[in-house]
Amino acid sequence: MPEIIRKGAIIESAGNKPKIIEEFIGRVNSGEEKISIARMKSPAGWIEPGQKPEFHEFTIVYKGFLKVETKEGEYEIKEGEVIHCFPGEWVRYSSPGKDGCEYIAICTPAFSPDTVNRDS
């Protein structure tokens, strides 16, 4: 029998400005540890601390653009594009565009504050 998830759980975000994280599937909203799926809405000028997560993160941008910094370079992920960041890679996300950014983040295993390893 299918499971219907009618709404996500709002999770506190990191960064210089408030970002809305609405987790539909994951440790907080559904108890799922293998994968998390969350809708993100970041305001213009938002930037989060760098991190070295212990999970794969697939990011699908559907409004605006997301700036993704890694040790190898900087990338602008635009509407309709996806970036896949690997476990153990240093990465920092931001939304420098005037309208902010809206995107879906899929993490496997599921996102956890204990395994994101944010810069101090």
Side-chain angles (χ1 to χ4, degrees):
M1 185 160 145
E3 176 185 8
I4 298 173
I5 298 170
R6 302 227 181 255
K7 68 183 235 183
I10 302 300
I11 297 174
E12 186 176 338
S13 67
N16 64 331
K17 295 181 173 187
K19 172 179 87 166
I20 297 171
I21 302 173
E22 187 178 13
E23 180 188 274
F24 289 90
I25 297 168
R27 297 174 194 270
V28 174
N29 199 49
S30 66
E32 178 59 58
E33 295 183 5
K34 292 178 275 193
I35 190 169
S36 59
I37 302 173
R39 179 170 47 194
M40 313 287 205
K41 293 181 182 180
S42 57
W46 167 80
I47 186 168
E48 72 176 356
Q51 57 194 32
K52 224 175 180 181
E54 298 174 27
F55 46 80
H56 291 266
E57 185 162 8
F58 302 86
T59 304
I60 307 164
V61 174
Y62 63 90
K63 185 175 180 187
F65 75 92
L66 190 68
K67 180 178 175 183
V68 180
E69 298 172 69
T70 70
K71 296 291 184 188
E72 291 75 36
E74 294 183 4
Y75 310 91
E76 283 190 4
I77 311 306
K78 300 178 179 117
E79 292 178 23
E81 295 181 334
V82 176
I83 189 167
H84 173 199
C85 294
F86 292 83
E89 280 188 306
W90 181 87
V91 63
R92 179 170 47 203
Y93 300 96
S94 62
S95 55
K98 66 179 179 70
D99 296 322
C101 184
E102 294 184 27
Y103 58 100
I104 301 291
I106 301 168
C107 301
T108 180
F111 172 88
S112 165
D114 297 330
T115 62
V116 73
N117 303 316
R118 286 197 173 92
D119 294 347
S120 49

